[in-house]
Amino acid sequence: MKKDNITIILAPLQGFTDVTYRNVFSDHFSGVDEAVAPFISTMGQRRLKPSRIKDVDPANNKNLFVTPQILGNVAGDFIFLADHLYEMGLKKINWNLGCPHSKIVKKKERIGAFTVS
Ligand SMILES: Cc1cc2nc3c(=O)[nH]c(=O)nc-3n(C[C@H](O)[C@H](O)[C@H](O)COP(=O)(O)O)c2cc1C
């Protein structure tokens, strides 16, 4: 519940705060106003991973407003995913600019590594 104009946003934890977690959480607890979903990695060749799209589909997230997060290092793939999410009714995107996990760092999925295609 919003109090004193402060918005409490559930932080994303990849592998934990997925749609099931968020729905169970909001069924049993209050105090969180909205959530940022764990990052969706961009995929090449105009592909989308269905499970990641389902995770942020507003139809599956009726209790808690969810903002999808994108992680990727190819501008065209980022735009493709962002456009798809926008068409699904998700008008806000959270842009992950620096996941410190070593597996992700190796892929250079950060703004410094963005390429234009
Ligand atoms: C297992 C794990 C997964 C995470 N996944 C994401 C993620 O998908 N997107 C993101 O922006 N941050 C992610 N984070 C970062 C957290 O949202 C949070 O910012 C970070 O843990 C710092 O908060 P703390 O100081 O309370 O631990 C992750 C952190 C952990 C430990």
Side-chain angles (χ1 to χ4, degrees):
M1 171 192 325
K2 282 197 188 177
K3 203 174 162 205
D4 302 329
N5 286 330
I6 294 173
T7 303
I8 307 285
I9 303 173
L10 182 74
L13 294 181
Q14 189 63 256
F16 295 94
T17 60
D18 63 5
V19 64
T20 305
Y21 178 103
R22 297 191 302 269
N23 284 336
V24 171
F25 184 93
S26 56
D27 275 349
H28 296 279
F29 301 100
S30 60
V32 165
D33 302 304
E34 48 185 271
V36 173
F39 66 78
I40 304 175
S41 288
T42 58
M43 295 173 80
Q45 288 149 8
R46 306 202 154 229
R47 284 183 306 133
L48 299 163
K49 195 169 182 191
S51 61
R52 307 299 295 131
I53 299 300
K54 263 193 217 162
D55 188 71
V56 294
D57 189 337
N60 301 326
N61 287 275
K62 292 207 168 109
N63 301 341
L64 205 54
F65 177 85
V66 69
T67 299
Q69 184 183 72
I70 299 182
L71 179 79
N73 61 3
V74 177
D77 297 339
F78 184 104
I79 291 166
F80 175 70
L81 177 56
D83 278 349
H84 186 86
L85 296 170
Y86 186 86
E87 293 304 321
M88 288 168 64
L90 294 155
K91 308 294 185 206
K92 199 161 101 176
I93 298 274
N94 182 280
W95 187 1
N96 187 323
L97 290 174
C99 177
H101 195 285
S102 58
K103 268 168 115 180
I104 306 292
V105 171
K106 266 191 230 156
K107 292 190 195 169
K108 300 188 168 58
E109 287 186 318
R110 293 178 297 175
I111 190 164
F114 249 61
T115 54
V116 179
S117 57

